[in-house]
Amino acid sequence: MPSRIVQRIHFEDFGGTEFERLVFAYHVRAGWTDLAWYGQTGSDGGRDIVGKEPLENGGYRSCVIQCVNRKTLTQKKAEEDMARAIAASANNLEVFKFVIGSAVSATRRDTVKTAAINAGITSLTIWSGVDFEEHLRLIGEDLLRRFCDGEPFPDRPDEIRHFAADFPRLSDNEALAQMAVVFQRPAFQTRFHEESSLPAFQAAIEDTIAALNTGVWRTREGETIRRVPSLHHLRDPGTKAKVRKASELVDKLRRAFVAGLRDKTIRPCGCGNPDCPTFMLDRGVAESLDDIRAQALDAFRKAYKGFDVQLR
């Protein structure tokens, strides 16, 4: 094998079609919707993959993804790909993404971005092989391992979509690594007296409970960010029990917060703005909520030793 999973992956040592399949599978796992794979048809028009990227505000934006699995990305290749994609999109292309199997110099990034702006592309993302590998290790290490072990991905986009959206091959530790991302938000890292929005805090807690139990991770507006493994994907009974305990403690945190709002020990300032950062709370309430939250983080840490989220 050209690479092993413990080393930096040299994607350019693998076939271009398999690389495109991996890029497609990653974006399925990352929660992109309406994904279509043009590269397999041989007439992509500079558009290997098109799809809708989930945004932090809950919306989506259409994007063209071009896969470049070569030793280097030349300026000519980049400009030609963008020009072909613009033509195929009837000059209505604003968001473009390169996923490249090799390294990309800072100079090349700058010149390609300048060319994109001149062509009317307002948002350009360039992922080198290292960038892509880092994103894969966060939510798709099983996909990366399959790619490196030479196990072919399914041929058809619908089959890849089904494979990438489920988690049958994950070890418990890999599943926990993906589940951990739902705690990487201010609601679990900011002490309560420093919170900036009471509604946002409550929504984040409710979203986390749902993600741990169902695998559906949503924004505060209810839009799905992506699927992650749930505690029901875990095989080891002891590990599953620890994650269930963490979920129960997050729910205890939610109930304590709601009780505080109900009995006015936690209350907004009265200005009428639901997102006003100013609120009042009775003595001991913040310490109690912080303590429950710390217990929840500690419970998940007992299940997943690589968990590094801390209440600051």
Side-chain angles (χ1 to χ4, degrees):
M1 293 298 297
S3 303
R4 299 300 301 173
I5 197 71
V6 295
Q7 302 172 334
R8 186 180 82 77
I9 308 303
H10 292 270
F11 294 105
E12 67 272 21
D13 292 339
F14 297 83
T17 300
E18 282 302 304
F19 182 69
E20 288 184 14
R21 288 192 177 106
L22 178 62
V23 173
F24 185 92
Y26 166 81
H27 287 86
V28 170
R29 180 69 59 82
W32 288 49
T33 63
D34 297 342
L35 283 163
W37 179 20
Y38 286 88
Q40 63 173 340
T41 67
S43 57
D44 55 30
R47 306 166 300 162
D48 284 335
I49 300 167
V50 298
K52 292 184 177 179
E53 176 188 13
L55 302 175
E56 291 184 359
N57 64 8
Y60 290 85
R61 65 177 183 177
S62 297
C63 181
V64 168
I65 303 170
Q66 186 68 14
C67 306
V68 183
N69 196 28
R70 300 184 176 187
K71 296 294 183 183
T72 185
L73 173 66
T74 66
Q75 187 69 19
K76 180 180 178 181
K77 165 68 173 171
E79 292 184 9
E80 288 178 348
D81 283 346
M82 290 188 291
R84 290 167 58 210
I86 290 170
S89 303
N91 295 315
N92 190 30
L93 174 62
E94 296 183 348
V95 184
F96 195 94
K97 180 176 185 178
F98 281 109
V99 181
I100 302 158
S102 57
V104 185
S105 69
T107 299
R108 177 67 69 231
R109 289 177 187 269
D110 290 342
T111 57
V112 172
K113 287 182 178 180
T114 298
I117 293 171
N118 292 337
I121 297 173
T122 58
S123 177
L124 176 70
T125 300
I126 300 174
W127 280 2
S128 68
V130 172
D131 297 327
F132 184 36
E133 181 180 344
E134 288 178 352
H135 284 84
L136 274 164
R137 289 192 186 280
L138 177 62
I139 66 168
E141 189 150 358
D142 59 313
L143 304 176
L144 184 60
R145 185 177 63 249
R146 176 174 178 145
F147 177 84
C148 292
D149 286 346
E151 186 176 352
F153 281 74
D155 288 327
R156 291 164 36 193
D158 58 333
E159 293 173 341
I160 297 176
R161 188 178 291 108
H162 176 74
F163 167 78
D166 205 356
F167 311 96
R169 299 170 181 265
L170 291 183
S171 68
D172 280 358
N173 206 54
E174 290 169 336
L176 289 166
Q178 293 194 34
M179 295 171 72
V181 300
V182 304
F183 290 103
Q184 293 175 350
R185 57 203 313 173
F188 289 98
Q189 299 177 30
T190 305
R191 293 194 178 276
F192 189 75
H193 71 276
E194 297 174 358
E195 284 290 342
S196 61
S197 171
L198 298 185
F201 175 83
Q202 183 174 352
I205 295 302
E206 292 171 350
D207 293 341
T208 301
I209 295 169
L212 291 174
N213 286 278
T214 69
V216 180
W217 186 21
R218 293 187 171 92
T219 66
R220 59 178 291 192
E221 290 80 15
E223 295 287 341
T224 299
I225 299 174
R226 69 171 185 257
R227 288 191 61 220
V228 296
S230 72
L231 63 88
H232 305 292
H233 285 92
L234 300 172
R235 298 180 178 88
D236 178 67
T239 301
K240 184 179 292 188
K242 292 172 184 175
V243 176
R244 182 175 287 111
K245 178 64 174 179
S247 177
E248 290 171 352
L249 285 165
V250 176
D251 185 58
K252 180 179 179 181
L253 175 64
R254 179 193 63 81
R255 287 185 282 109
F257 178 79
V258 171
L261 292 175
R262 185 171 56 248
D263 63 20
K264 307 299 183 184
T265 55
I266 304 171
R267 51 198 179 276
C269 70
C271 70
N273 178 5
D275 290 318
C276 176
T278 302
F279 56 92
M280 286 75 71
L281 47 93
D282 287 0
R283 184 188 299 260
V285 172
E287 288 84 353
S288 176
L289 290 167
D290 284 343
D291 180 63
I292 298 171
R293 185 162 43 178
Q295 291 179 44
L297 294 175
D298 186 59
F300 191 83
R301 191 174 295 108
K302 289 178 180 177
Y304 178 45
K305 303 305 182 185
F307 187 56
D308 61 358
V309 173
Q310 300 284 345
L311 182 62
R312 301 185 182 95

